[in-house]
Amino acid sequence: MGRRWKKQSHENDPIANFRAMDDAEDKHRNNNTTSSSSEAAGRTTKASTTKDDSFRDEPYSSDGEEDDEEEVYIVKQEYAYLSYGFSFVQTVIMGLLIWQCGIAPLRINPMLGPYPDALSEWGGKNAVLILDEDDNEWWRLLTPILLHAGLLHLFANVSVQLEAGAFFEKEWGSARWLIIYLGSAVASSVLSVIVMPQSVSVGSSGAVMGLFGAKLAELLLKWCHKADTKEARISAKVRKEQCCMVTCSVVTVMAFSFIPYVDWAAHLGGLLGGLVIGCVIFALELEFMSCKFLWFALGLATTIAMYAAAIWYMYNGDIEVVEELRDVCGYYQQQFEDYECRCMKEEYANNNGEDNGDRMLFLY
């Protein structure tokens, strides 16, 4: 911090005042005054050794003079371990998928990835397998975040995850980041099962949208934080920049969510999940205890109510699942004569099905 020397007053002590003046004259005659030249930032300090300690080193910040030091934004940790880790695992799984199941022709999978039946076999969101009492493959609510339709899909999601996602993890810490990431992944899959049960969906975009939703919650809750220190002013400046970035990212992703082969429900579910979880987590960082308690209680109640209602409706509501989704390979064999079933279970690979309905691979 920039500092300057502030002189003490001797108006009520003429002896001390005379002594200080006498000492100053002696030092001027003997050329014993020392000074340090200012650095590149323009800061100057002066050393004085008068007997009565006439000058005292005090910080200043209220007279309009700004410190020219480089601004440093303080985060919780130096490395984004989970962002890097998830991105690495997702990339490895894509490589294994392509190695085992091959790359489908572009007219089947324009994302430069494996045949669609492989994605269902490896854990893609498949509503009939999640909701069926015999199968009850609930883990498919989480595993889609590890899968991507192809190299282009993987590159798009991992790029955002390593940029914005990694920075958020450094800000929040890995534990908070993981809670938001996984919680948003579940919310995205649940809403996708409810709204779009006729599709197989893969991708980590829902979880990434949850990170954006949590950041929006943090920005809204901290909007009125006081900027009365240098660190607080830097934090406020960063939050303003993040607000523009996150808003633009959310609008862009949601705008592209309605093009063919993209699961808009998963994007929306992840965003809402991250928003309510973020309210719970970041309410604890508010300045006033009353606001902290109010927003924490409101966020917790909203989170529990939303997740409970969505999961209950998913299992008990009027969800029209497509039984033919058990045989994704059979559907694509009807659509493409040269379709190869390389990764489906044998009992499904030999079944071409009769009426597969309106089904396709969706990305998120």
Side-chain angles (χ1 to χ4, degrees):
M1 174 190 279
R3 309 181 73 89
R4 73 176 180 182
W5 297 92
K6 183 176 180 180
K7 189 173 182 178
Q8 290 182 326
S9 174
H10 295 289
E11 293 179 357
N12 298 324
D13 191 353
I15 297 177
N17 196 15
F18 176 78
R19 184 187 301 162
M21 294 174 62
D22 187 51
D23 288 343
E25 291 176 359
D26 291 340
K27 289 181 178 294
H28 179 70
R29 286 193 301 268
N30 297 329
N31 293 322
N32 289 330
T33 302
T34 61
S35 64
S36 62
S37 39
S38 62
E39 300 176 356
R43 298 185 304 275
T44 303
T45 56
K46 295 182 179 180
S48 178
T49 56
T50 55
K51 295 180 181 181
D52 61 341
D53 191 23
S54 299
F55 295 88
R56 179 175 297 171
D57 181 14
E58 294 184 359
Y60 71 98
S61 60
S62 60
D63 57 358
E65 297 183 27
E66 295 293 334
D67 187 1
D68 293 328
E69 289 183 358
E70 181 182 359
E71 294 183 346
V72 177
Y73 181 56
I74 300 176
V75 296
K76 289 186 177 297
Q77 60 190 54
E78 184 176 0
Y79 299 106
Y81 303 103
L82 294 179
S83 296
Y84 303 152
F86 270 100
S87 300
F88 176 76
V89 171
Q90 290 160 353
T91 303
V92 170
I93 290 177
M94 174 56 64
L96 293 175
L97 264 171
I98 293 176
W99 174 71
Q100 180 181 357
C101 307
I103 296 181
L106 291 179
R107 59 194 183 89
I108 297 177
N109 186 350
M111 293 289 108
L112 297 177
Y115 288 86
D117 62 274
L119 298 171
S120 178
E121 181 66 17
W122 278 57
K125 185 226 78 182
N126 192 329
V128 67
L129 299 179
I130 294 173
L131 301 179
D132 187 82
E133 294 181 358
D134 295 329
D135 296 302
N136 192 27
E137 297 181 2
W138 56 267
W139 44 268
R140 289 180 180 268
L141 296 175
L142 276 174
T143 50
I145 63 174
L146 301 176
L147 302 170
H148 291 83
L151 297 176
L152 298 180
H153 188 209
L154 174 71
F155 176 78
N157 282 349
V158 167
S159 296
V160 178
Q161 198 165 276
L162 291 177
E163 184 68 26
F167 186 73
F168 294 162
E169 184 181 353
K170 294 175 184 179
E171 282 186 305
W172 302 337
S174 295
R176 291 180 174 183
W177 189 93
L178 183 62
I179 293 172
I180 295 168
Y181 192 81
L182 296 182
S184 303
V186 172
S188 67
S189 295
V190 168
L191 189 59
S192 179
V193 169
I194 294 174
V195 179
M196 305 180 71
Q198 77 283 1
S199 66
V200 175
S201 302
V202 295
S204 61
S205 298
V208 173
M209 286 292 287
L211 298 178
F212 286 137
K215 173 54 70 171
L216 284 176
E218 180 188 16
L219 295 174
L220 291 174
L221 290 174
K222 295 182 178 180
W223 190 261
C224 296
H225 268 202
K226 295 180 179 179
D228 51 358
T229 65
K230 180 181 179 181
E231 182 179 344
R233 287 194 297 271
I234 295 174
S235 297
K237 182 179 178 180
V238 171
R239 287 197 297 270
K240 289 180 181 179
E241 295 174 353
Q242 289 180 335
C243 184
C244 297
M245 181 271 291
V246 172
T247 302
C248 292
S249 298
V250 169
V251 171
T252 301
V253 172
M254 292 307 300
F256 281 96
S257 296
F258 295 94
I259 64 177
Y261 300 103
V262 176
D263 192 339
W264 63 267
H267 290 171
L268 180 60
L271 179 66
L272 295 176
L275 187 65
V276 295
I277 294 175
C279 285
V280 176
I281 291 176
F282 298 113
L284 300 176
E285 296 183 357
L286 295 178
E287 296 176 335
F288 301 104
M289 185 59 66
S290 58
C291 293
K292 183 182 299 187
F293 175 79
L294 175 64
W295 281 106
F296 176 80
L298 181 62
L300 184 61
T302 304
T303 301
I304 294 174
M306 189 187 82
Y307 275 81
I311 293 175
W312 181 90
Y313 186 82
M314 182 181 69
Y315 282 106
N316 301 284
D318 187 19
I319 307 296
E320 298 182 0
V321 297
V322 182
E323 287 294 330
E324 290 78 10
L325 272 174
R326 297 178 183 277
D327 180 17
V328 179
C329 184
Y331 167 73
Y332 281 98
Q333 282 184 327
Q334 288 189 344
Q335 303 299 316
F336 305 99
E337 294 182 357
D338 58 344
Y339 190 90
E340 300 180 19
C341 298
R342 299 186 179 184
C343 294
M344 288 292 289
K345 295 177 181 178
E346 184 177 355
E347 58 181 300
Y348 300 141
N350 296 327
N351 178 19
N352 291 332
E354 296 179 358
D355 179 18
N356 292 285
D358 183 17
R359 292 178 286 134
M360 59 179 67
L361 172 67
F362 278 72
L363 317 177
Y364 67 86

